[in-house]
Amino acid sequence: MTTLLQRDIQTWRDIGGLHTAEEIAHQPAIWRALAGILRKEQATLAAFLGDALSNPQQRVILTGAGSSAYVGEIVVDTLNAAWPAQIRAIATTTLLTHHELYLEADAPTLLVSFARSGDSPESLAAVELLRQVVPGARFLNITCNADGKLARQGANDANTYNLLMPEGSCDRGFAMTSSFSSMLLAALSVLGKDTDLTRLDTLAQLGEHALRDWSAPVADLGSTPVKRVVYLGSGPLEALAKEAALKILELTGGRVMAMANTPLGFRHGPKSAVTTESLVILLRSSKPLARQYEDDLLKELQRDSVALRCLTVGIGGDLSADAPVWPDAWLAPLWLLMAQQYALHQSALLQLRPDNPFAGGIVNRVVQGVTIYGHDQF
């Protein structure tokens, strides 16, 4: 075990959090393994993608549900700025209800699906929807489960490429942790212009240092009860703030309410949610201009003296790392390590079982109870 956990294996086992704790801790190893996979598959992936990203008529849709949708939201603007292709992040949960706003039958389309299990009803239905509405659509499945329905149904399809994440990335715990970060880094590596995979090795080393250096202060932070947590982030880190907030909601079984926003947008109403039992966590951007706005809001919150505490994570933050000046999307997995740890400790503080905070099955690891309706019925 790494010092991240601040508990021994047996203690985590006793309180029902061992899977989640291990899956947070092993992420740097997963990122190194991902680099190895991508080195082996680089040529075949390049052949599958061809010159699609260089085509201004090409549409690329990054999709998933819940955390998997946030993967697409974090990387989309970085990728879209790099290529002539039209790259958008559209959740499966939106595609299925309003596909006519996003799909055109005669537009060349690549659907990039992010899926931990590959068994989500919406993920499977989104693929089927495109097969029906966009003849000739192609599919890149970035998934953690070779045995999932998504991977199996595309295994022998020439228009589908299954990119499997490293063994161990298909989290056994309720919350997505290593699955999330591995799929995010895979998307940036495969669809980005920077093909230097040594960046993953560097990030893995930074992750190990962060786990070592942050574990004690984050465990201490997580030992204090709170009622609300606010995550703030600029640009791609806004979507990271959404994922961080979701981790709190999931692992505390909804007992700690969480929200996400941008530092500039926070003043426009959402700031009213801050109380004396609120923790505000600002995810620091690597972009100096964004940090100026972040600093202004931080000073304002400190002057207000309402929040229980304001904490900064990232470049120049209270919890920081000696990271290169990379785009925010690339650094997002590093800052997420803090949010995952914090949610885990809050779950333990509330005496829940972090590997399954919803023992009654109200919310499930793989979503259940979804009825899929035919798009041509209405």
Side-chain angles (χ1 to χ4, degrees), residues 26-361:
H26 76 188
Q27 284 176 99
I30 293 289
W31 302 345
R32 284 198 177 91
L34 174 62
I37 289 172
L38 296 181
R39 288 186 179 100
K40 291 178 181 177
E41 299 197 35
Q42 203 163 30
T44 52
L45 272 166
F48 176 78
L49 292 172
D51 60 357
L53 296 173
S54 298
N55 178 7
Q57 304 305 313
Q58 175 75 46
R59 296 187 178 190
V60 179
I61 298 175
L62 311 178
T63 197
S67 288
S68 295
Y70 297 149
V71 171
E73 289 185 24
I74 291 173
V75 304
V76 63
D77 291 333
T78 299
L79 299 178
N80 190 56
W83 295 104
Q86 305 169 47
I87 306 177
R88 299 187 66 178
I90 307 170
T92 56
T93 47
T94 298
L95 271 177
L96 292 182
T97 59
H98 288 77
H99 73 275
E100 71 282 358
L101 300 179
Y102 309 107
L103 304 179
E104 288 189 16
D106 58 354
T109 303
L110 172 67
L111 185 73
V112 181
S113 296
F114 301 106
R116 173 172 66 173
S117 70
D119 290 324
S120 165
E122 296 98 335
S123 292
L124 300 169
V127 170
E128 182 59 29
L129 173 66
L130 262 79
R131 291 192 189 281
Q132 295 178 22
V133 175
V134 188
R138 304 172 76 231
F139 305 91
L140 172 60
N141 299 327
I142 300 179
T143 180
C144 304
N145 185 12
D147 296 322
K149 293 177 182 177
L150 184 70
R152 287 191 283 110
Q153 72 181 15
N156 299 311
D157 179 11
N159 286 327
T160 300
Y161 194 108
N162 287 329
L163 179 59
L164 296 174
M165 297 297 93
E167 184 177 355
S169 65
C170 191
D171 309 306
R172 297 161 294 173
F174 177 89
M176 288 178 61
T177 53
S178 60
S179 57
F180 185 94
S181 62
S182 60
M183 291 191 293
L184 190 159
L185 292 173
L188 289 170
S189 300
V190 170
L191 299 173
K193 277 196 171 180
D194 186 351
T195 59
D196 182 7
L197 295 175
T198 60
R199 181 172 282 189
L200 293 177
D201 298 314
T202 300
L203 197 63
Q205 184 176 29
L206 291 170
E208 288 169 343
H209 293 167
L211 292 174
R212 178 197 66 201
D213 297 341
W214 299 351
S215 61
V218 175
D220 182 63
L221 184 72
S223 67
T224 301
V226 294
K227 294 293 186 182
R228 302 177 185 179
V229 178
V230 177
Y231 278 99
L232 303 173
S234 304
L237 298 186
E238 179 184 4
L240 181 67
K242 293 179 184 179
E243 168 62 11
L246 181 58
K247 290 290 87 81
I248 284 287
L249 284 171
E250 289 178 330
L251 290 183
T252 67
R255 297 189 194 181
V256 177
M257 295 305 297
M259 62 184 295
N261 212 299
T262 63
L264 276 174
F266 193 55
R267 292 187 182 91
H268 293 260
K271 185 183 170 189
S272 59
V274 176
T275 69
T276 55
E277 296 178 293
S278 301
L279 171 66
V280 179
I281 301 175
L282 176 61
L283 303 169
R284 300 279 281 163
S285 175
S286 64
K287 186 177 179 181
L289 175 62
R291 290 204 301 274
Q292 288 183 288
Y293 290 110
E294 293 164 2
D295 287 341
D296 286 347
L297 178 65
L298 184 62
K299 291 173 184 176
E300 181 177 317
L301 290 169
Q302 291 169 340
R303 287 197 304 270
D304 292 342
S305 299
V306 175
L308 178 67
R309 184 173 177 184
C310 297
L311 180 75
T312 56
V313 180
I315 301 296
D318 298 314
L319 296 178
S320 187
D322 188 17
V325 183
W326 289 347
D328 283 323
W330 274 98
L331 293 172
L334 197 59
W335 314 143
L336 184 58
L337 292 175
M338 175 272 159
Q340 293 170 343
Q341 293 178 67
Y342 178 66
L344 175 65
H345 291 304
Q346 278 287 303
S347 184
L349 178 66
L350 291 169
Q351 297 184 331
L352 297 171
R353 299 184 72 79
D355 290 342
N356 184 16
F358 299 93

